[in-house]
């Protein structure tokens, strides 16, 4: 009876296309043959599929974060803050997805992971160039990261461009200056390949924005979008650290890092430090 209802429902949709001999299909558009053929286990263990899929999905989300953040940087540079708000809000929603991905990966037990961990050799998420690119576009620049990709000219060029270019916070500070705030010249003309360090003039500008929200509404919205992104990035880092601790404890990472020890060190790093400091001073 249910099958008949299903058939009747399908027949009632007379406009549904069923002949794709000359047309592109859903699978063609998304290149699903390639995408779904990319989960190649190196062991016979059932749970290696989970490990691969989670990391591949996360890389796809990272690609979209980079796409949206770079577009937001360009929008802020041309003083189109409204356009940047939509992009940055989308980044925050994407971050919620990759945070929740850790909950799925944490269903992998230590005993299960040990069944195929040796197959990874020295491969590690530490080597994810897209994750490093996210850090670069947010303004966290680490020179030793570039060295990892020196033998891959294509990837090196992508990373190098972001490394020497302004990050999201740099263009936000430039927006403050355009609005008339007195920002230290050394901050505005700084070397973007260096990780940003706190500045008193930037802090005062954000304080003024938050103390007169109505006057500086667009800058206030920009600031809160940045805080949303940083907040979720910290949540992602924390869930990453706890998932690794849950699965391998304090073992050295497959890529040679200290594992949980390294992940704990980066928990206290801030991309947009003044936006957090002013909360105590408001």
């Amino acid at each position: 009876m249910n099958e008949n209802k299903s058939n009747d429902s399908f027949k009632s949709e007379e406009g549904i296309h069923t002949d794709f001999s000359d047309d592109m299909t859903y699978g063609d558009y998304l290149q699903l043959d390639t995408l779904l053929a990319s989960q190649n286990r190196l062991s016979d263990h059932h749970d290696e599929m989970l490990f691969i899929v989670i990391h591949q999905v996360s890389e796809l989300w990272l690609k979209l974060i980079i796409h949206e953040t770079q577009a937001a940087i360009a929008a802020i540079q041309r003083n189109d803050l409204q356009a940047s708000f939509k992009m940055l809000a989308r980044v925050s929603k994407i971050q919620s997805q990759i945070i929740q991905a850790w909950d799925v990966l944490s269903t992998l037990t230590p005993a299960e992971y040990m069944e195929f961990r040796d197959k990874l050799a020295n491969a590690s998420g530490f080597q994810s160039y897209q994750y490093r690119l996210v850090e670069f576009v947010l303004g966290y620049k680490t020179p030793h990261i570039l060295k990892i990709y020196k033998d891959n000219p294509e990837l090196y060029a992508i990373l190098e461009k972001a490394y020497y270019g302004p990050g999201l916070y740099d263009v936000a500070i430039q927006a403050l200056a355009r609005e008339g705030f007195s920002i230290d010249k050394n901050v505005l003309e700084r070397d973007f390949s260096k990780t940003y360090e706190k500045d008193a003039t930037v802090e005062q500008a954000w304080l003024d924005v938050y103390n007169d929200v109505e006057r500086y509404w667009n800058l206030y919205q920009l600031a809160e979008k940045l805080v949303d992104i940083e907040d979720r990035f910290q949540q992602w880092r924390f869930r990453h650290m706890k998932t690794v601790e849950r699965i391998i404890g304090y073992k050295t990472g497959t890529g040679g890092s200290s594992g949980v020890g390294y992940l704990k060190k980066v928990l206290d790093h801030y991309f947009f430090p003044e936006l957090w400091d002013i909360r105590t001073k408001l």
Side-chain angles (χ1 to χ4, degrees):
M1 181 176 180
N2 288 336
E3 184 178 347
N4 290 334
K5 283 185 177 181
S6 178
N7 289 334
D8 290 341
S9 296
F10 187 79
K11 289 176 181 177
S12 68
E13 297 291 336
E14 296 179 357
I16 293 179
H17 295 285
T18 56
D19 182 2
F20 291 95
S21 55
D22 297 316
D23 293 323
M24 177 177 65
T25 67
Y26 171 81
D28 294 333
Y29 176 67
L30 296 178
Q31 300 183 56
L32 289 182
D33 286 347
T34 300
L35 184 65
L36 298 178
S38 299
Q39 294 73 48
N40 300 309
R41 289 181 292 167
L42 298 181
S43 73
D44 294 327
H45 198 275
H46 172 84
D47 294 300
E48 190 182 355
M49 181 63 74
L50 162 68
F51 192 81
I52 293 171
V53 168
I54 285 292
H55 287 84
Q56 288 184 341
V57 168
S58 294
E59 288 292 335
L60 287 173
W61 282 129
L62 289 175
K63 183 173 185 175
L64 189 52
I65 287 175
I66 294 162
H67 176 73
E68 297 294 343
T69 305
Q70 289 179 329
I73 288 172
I76 296 168
Q77 287 178 314
R78 63 176 182 267
N79 209 30
D80 188 358
L81 297 186
Q82 289 297 324
S84 75
F85 298 157
K86 176 64 178 292
M87 298 160 187
L88 296 176
R90 183 174 291 162
V91 169
S92 295
K93 293 298 184 181
I94 297 166
Q95 288 176 297
S96 296
Q97 295 295 314
I98 61 174
I99 290 168
Q100 292 176 12
W102 294 120
D103 292 337
V104 182
L105 186 59
S106 66
T107 64
L108 181 68
T109 69
E112 290 164 347
Y113 182 47
M114 287 304 118
E115 290 292 327
F116 63 86
R117 187 183 190 231
D118 64 312
K119 299 293 184 181
L120 303 180
N122 293 321
S124 166
F126 186 82
Q127 298 146 13
S128 168
Y129 82 88
Q130 288 201 128
Y131 175 75
R132 299 306 174 182
L133 193 51
V134 168
E135 289 188 326
F136 286 0
V137 296
L138 292 180
Y140 183 50
K141 310 293 180 68
T142 44
H144 65 276
I145 294 300
L146 284 176
K147 297 177 183 178
I148 298 174
Y149 306 97
K150 63 183 179 181
D151 294 327
N152 188 324
E154 184 177 353
L155 290 184
Y156 189 89
I158 293 171
L159 286 160
E160 186 179 41
K161 182 179 179 180
Y163 182 77
Y164 287 104
L168 180 59
Y169 199 43
D170 293 310
V171 297
I173 293 171
Q174 291 168 3
L176 288 171
R178 284 197 302 270
E179 191 65 25
F181 289 103
S182 180
I183 304 296
D184 191 319
K185 182 180 179 181
N186 291 326
V187 174
L188 295 174
E189 298 178 358
R190 76 184 195 86
D191 180 356
F192 296 130
S193 69
K194 307 294 183 184
T195 296
Y196 176 79
E197 295 184 3
K198 290 191 290 186
D199 177 81
T201 62
V202 173
E203 181 178 286
Q204 186 59 54
W206 286 125
L207 271 172
D208 291 344
V209 168
Y210 275 77
N211 281 318
D212 196 347
V213 170
E214 186 174 346
R215 180 179 178 184
Y216 300 115
W217 178 248
N218 279 343
L219 289 172
Y220 172 69
Q221 287 191 86
L222 175 59
E224 285 298 294
K225 291 291 186 292
L226 298 183
V227 170
D228 287 342
I229 288 172
E230 178 120 71
D231 188 351
R232 285 173 173 79
F233 203 95
Q234 291 289 62
Q235 292 180 47
W236 183 89
R237 280 172 165 166
F238 180 78
R239 289 298 299 126
H240 185 186
M241 182 269 293
K242 294 306 292 184
T243 302
V244 171
E245 183 179 10
R246 175 172 177 158
I247 296 175
I248 68 168
Y250 281 76
K251 292 184 180 72
T252 300
T254 50
S257 74
S258 58
V260 171
Y262 170 79
L263 296 173
K264 282 187 174 181
K265 289 177 185 177
V266 298
L267 282 177
D268 293 330
H269 171 262
Y270 287 91
F271 295 105
F272 322 126
E274 291 89 352
L275 290 175
W276 297 91
D277 291 346
I278 62 170
R279 281 155 161 75
T280 305
K281 300 180 180 181
L282 283 170

